[in-house]
Amino acid sequence: IRNTPHQVLVFDKLTYAGTLTSLEPVSGDARYQFVQADICDAEAVAKVMRDFDPDIVAHLAAESHVDRSIHGPGDFIKTNVLGTFNLLEAVRAYWTELPENEQQAFRFLHVSTDEVYGTVDKDPFTETTRYNPRNPYSASKASSDQFVMAYHNTYGLPAIVTNCSNNYGPNQHDEKFIPTVIKKVLNGEKIPVYGNGSNVRDWLYVMDHVNAIDKIF
């Protein structure tokens, strides 16, 4: 909204981790719309595609907390796998009806995670790194990645998959690692350590990620 002339529609279920407060800076802009719905609701997704008539679909919706996936993997399979399938079906139906020049210009971006490649090591991941998901969250994202690429290869859908590392920045839900540590420090509490403390994590500032997505489009 701030940096382009585009109209933007945000489609979000607003689970425990979602809040409209993050969108208040653009909430009064005529080029912004919001629809509260679930990507697992195929009819709602199809309706938004018809009504909004997008040139670009950016798929960032996901259950993303590893610990939650360990204790309740069902929600991760439902949202990350079946939800992605619903989006792909709705986008494919919409895309096939577009004029040829609009089909060629259309893009579907699926934002994934580097965790599909396994544990961070001294060597950086690349697009040719073998998939090696190690928990229900990364397994569900790996599955959704494969569906997106299958639709690209089978139907010609102009899809792109990106695999980013952990994001951090303003408005992040406080269950995530960096907000958790900051909150513990401010309250004088013990900082939790995962495993034996030897794990390595890679971080990406959220605005750097947003800028990368803009360049990709």
Side-chain angles (χ1 to χ4, degrees), residues 17-216:
T19 171
L20 288 176
T21 303
S22 301
L23 296 170
E24 282 181 358
V26 298
S27 61
D29 196 293
R31 292 182 289 117
Y32 159 82
Q33 296 180 54
F34 178 83
V35 171
Q36 184 174 354
D38 189 345
I39 60 170
C40 293
D41 184 342
E43 189 175 321
V45 174
K47 183 178 187 305
V48 163
M49 292 297 299
R50 291 192 305 267
D51 292 349
F52 189 64
D53 192 27
D55 303 309
I56 288 170
V57 173
H59 175 27
L60 299 97
E63 294 283 350
S64 65
H65 197 253
V66 173
D67 290 351
R68 287 180 180 269
S69 80
I70 293 169
H71 299 297
D75 287 341
F76 288 73
I77 295 168
K78 182 179 178 183
T79 298
N80 298 353
V81 182
L82 296 179
T84 298
F85 168 72
N86 277 337
L87 272 179
L88 287 167
E89 280 289 271
V91 168
R92 180 168 72 95
Y94 167 80
W95 175 73
T96 55
E97 296 297 321
L98 292 175
E100 185 176 351
N101 64 319
E102 293 182 24
Q103 281 189 357
Q104 292 176 357
F106 183 86
R107 293 292 182 272
F108 177 86
L109 175 68
H110 173 68
V111 175
S112 186
T113 170
D114 65 346
E115 292 197 40
V116 299
Y117 300 123
T119 304
V120 176
D121 201 354
K122 62 181 183 298
D123 296 321
F125 299 130
T126 71
E127 288 87 347
T128 59
T129 301
R130 182 174 66 89
Y131 270 40
N132 187 28
R134 306 296 294 271
N135 53 64
Y137 161 62
S138 56
S140 69
K141 291 297 288 184
S143 176
S144 65
D145 291 4
Q146 297 296 321
F147 271 105
V148 173
M149 295 315 299
Y151 270 64
H152 173 69
N153 290 313
T154 304
Y155 304 111
L157 186 71
I160 303 166
V161 176
T162 61
N163 298 89
C164 69
S165 57
N166 298 278
N167 280 210
Y168 73 96
N171 300 320
Q172 187 170 31
H173 192 273
D174 62 9
E175 74 177 359
K176 299 296 185 177
F177 181 74
I178 290 178
T180 294
V181 170
I182 292 172
K183 190 168 60 175
K184 295 292 185 183
V185 170
L186 290 175
N187 293 330
E189 301 172 5
K190 289 185 177 180
I191 297 172
V193 176
Y194 183 79
N196 61 11
S198 64
N199 296 77
V200 177
R201 301 192 82 176
D202 189 46
W203 301 95
L204 177 64
Y205 181 55
V206 65
M207 288 309 299
D208 290 336
H209 189 188
V210 170
N211 291 333
I213 288 172
D214 188 45
K215 288 182 184 299
I216 289 165

